[in-house]
């Protein structure tokens, strides 16, 4: 099929490449025209200098994938693209958008006759080779029309799923990322205990070992093995961990639904903790211990 694609970051560039290599004709654009020129070297990809040029090369009913930063940038891009489309055309948001925003986008676009699909996309920079796990929300009929593209992006054998109406895809992706937070935190804590122990463990070899039929084997542990192979003690990394926002949204929904989610919640809080060069609350704790018990304190 012939489709448009907006956004050529680390994920978007590889998604366009994967679509093109499976035979789809992709018209791609982004603000960085160097990226447009680079992706246009790929067979079946045509670079466009603007949204207008991209959409002008598509036939009705058009389908445009949007893969830009969540929040206001996605809102603005969907509004711009929608203004250039006609009734019956579709916008697919493949980014990490809040599911409530996706419901709003669907409702707003429907008033102008446009269709909308929210595509939760997981796979990271490895998606070009392995495929992307796709969690998709929107009208079933629209999903079926665009299914050839979803199938090309995903790994074989149930690598993509129509999860339900608008917002359902991004909701499933949100929970996916919340679970990811907890799993990553547990892996990190386990390796810190190993690293701090009295034994001189080869952490990379342990990561490899754990992926040999153990109950904790996983792609995340495989990635840990790769990281330790590059830097056995992670000496060149700073322990500063960002969050994409989906962990926060997961916790908010857990509270709205009266679901206790202590592991995911604590894993998010630990990410906040990682960003502090020095904790003021720890200073307060040290001062209190000194005041009530005369415990020793360290001064700067």
């Amino acid at each position: 099929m012939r489709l448009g694609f907006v956004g050529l970051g680390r994920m978007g560039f590889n998604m366009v490449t994967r679509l093109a290599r499976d035979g789809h004709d992709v018209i791609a654009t982004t603000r960085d025209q160097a990226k447009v020129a680079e992706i246009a070297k790929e067979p079946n990809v045509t670079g466009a200098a603007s949204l207008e040029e991209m959409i002008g090369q598509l036939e009705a009913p058009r389908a445009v994938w949007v893969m830009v930063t969540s929040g206001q940038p996605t809102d603005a891009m969907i509004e711009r693209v929608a203004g250039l489309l006609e009734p019956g055309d579709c916008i697919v948001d493949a980014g990490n958008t809040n599911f409530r925003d996706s419901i709003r986008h669907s409702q707003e676009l429907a008033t102008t006759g446009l269709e909308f699909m929210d595509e939760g996309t997981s796979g990271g920079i490895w998606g070009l080779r392995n495929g992307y796990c796709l969690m998709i929300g929107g009208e079933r009929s629209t999903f079926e029309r665009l299914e050839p593209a979803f199938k090309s992006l995903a790994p074989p054998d149930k690598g993509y799923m129509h999860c339900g109406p608008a917002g359902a895809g991004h909701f499933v992706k949100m929970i996916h990322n919340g679970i990811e937070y907890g799993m990553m935190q547990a892996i990190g804590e386990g390796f810190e205990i190993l690293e701090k122990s009295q034994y001189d463990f080869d952490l990379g070899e342990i990561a490899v070992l754990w992926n040999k039929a153990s109950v904790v084997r996983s792609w995340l542990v495989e990635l840990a093995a790769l990281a330790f192979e590059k830097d056995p003690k992670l000496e060149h990394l700073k322990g500063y961990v960002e969050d994409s926002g989906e962990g926060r949204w997961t916790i908010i929904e857990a509270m709205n639904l009266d679901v206790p989610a202590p592991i995911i919640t604590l894993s998010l809080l630990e990410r906040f903790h990682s960003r502090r060069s020095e904790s003021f609350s720890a200073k307060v704790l040290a001062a209190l211990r000194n005041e009530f018990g005369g415990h020793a304190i360290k001064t700067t």
Side-chain angles (χ1 to χ4, degrees):
M1 64 184 296
R2 190 173 181 86
L3 55 92
F5 203 103
V6 184
L8 296 173
R10 289 173 297 178
M11 291 274 283
F13 193 98
N14 285 347
M15 291 172 72
V16 170
T17 303
R18 188 171 173 90
L19 285 164
R21 290 181 182 177
D22 204 38
H24 299 282
D25 292 322
V26 186
I27 316 300
T29 190
T30 195
R31 287 183 301 179
D32 185 349
Q33 287 300 299
K35 283 287 187 182
V36 174
E38 184 180 356
I39 196 66
K41 296 176 184 177
E42 192 73 30
N44 298 325
V45 178
T46 302
S50 66
L51 293 176
E52 290 81 1
E53 182 180 330
M54 177 196 71
I55 292 171
Q57 298 184 60
L58 300 175
E59 302 91 16
R62 301 166 187 83
V64 178
W65 263 250
V66 173
M67 188 63 166
V68 299
T69 305
S70 64
Q72 194 279 330
T74 293
D75 285 349
M77 184 57 67
I78 288 177
E79 183 177 356
R80 287 184 60 196
V81 172
L84 301 169
L85 295 179
E86 299 174 346
D89 294 343
C90 179
I91 296 176
V92 180
D93 178 5
N96 284 331
T97 298
N98 188 299
F99 80 99
R100 295 186 186 279
D101 289 336
S102 294
I103 294 172
R104 173 172 55 82
H105 290 149
S106 178
Q107 293 170 342
E108 291 173 349
L109 293 175
T111 64
T112 61
L114 297 177
E115 300 171 354
F116 176 81
M117 302 296 288
D118 49 289
E119 177 193 290
T121 309
S122 181
I125 59 175
W126 296 82
L128 175 59
R129 184 179 74 181
N130 299 333
Y132 298 92
C133 176
L134 303 182
M135 297 144 269
I136 304 159
E139 292 292 335
R140 181 81 196 188
S141 58
T142 309
F143 165 79
E144 291 174 352
R145 176 165 69 87
L146 302 181
E147 191 169 6
F150 296 139
K151 186 175 182 178
S152 294
L153 285 168
D157 192 18
K158 298 186 178 180
Y160 64 98
M161 176 181 174
H162 180 247
C163 299
H170 279 151
F171 189 92
V172 174
K173 177 56 163 52
M174 176 185 72
I175 303 305
H176 163 284
N177 278 30
I179 292 170
E180 174 191 297
Y181 277 44
M183 292 172 66
M184 290 176 65
Q185 185 65 31
I187 291 169
E189 291 174 6
F191 276 106
E192 181 169 4
I193 296 168
L194 290 169
E195 195 271 334
K196 297 293 186 185
S197 74
Q198 69 267 37
Y199 301 106
D200 185 21
F201 288 124
D202 184 324
L203 301 181
E205 286 299 312
I206 290 175
V208 171
L209 171 67
W210 282 352
N211 269 309
K212 304 299 182 181
S214 87
V215 295
V216 298
R217 65 187 182 276
S218 66
W219 188 47
L220 289 173
V221 175
E222 288 180 21
L223 295 178
L226 290 176
F228 288 127
E229 181 180 347
K230 297 174 185 176
D231 188 354
K233 297 293 185 181
L234 304 184
E235 294 172 328
H236 302 292
L237 291 178
K238 185 176 181 180
Y240 184 102
V241 188
E242 277 287 5
D243 70 281
S244 64
E246 292 191 298
R248 304 182 189 212
W249 304 338
T250 299
I251 294 164
I252 290 171
E253 290 309 311
M255 291 188 293
N256 289 340
L257 297 169
D258 294 330
V259 175
I263 304 302
I264 296 173
T265 302
L266 287 174
S267 67
L268 174 65
L269 298 181
E270 279 300 309
R271 292 195 179 197
F272 297 161
H273 189 262
S274 76
R275 302 169 200 172
R276 306 172 69 179
S277 58
E278 187 172 9
S279 168
F280 186 78
S281 64
K283 290 184 178 184
V284 174
L285 293 178
L288 290 173
R289 291 181 77 248
N290 178 253
E291 292 297 326
F292 73 68
H295 298 288
I297 58 173
K298 294 182 179 181
T299 59
T300 59

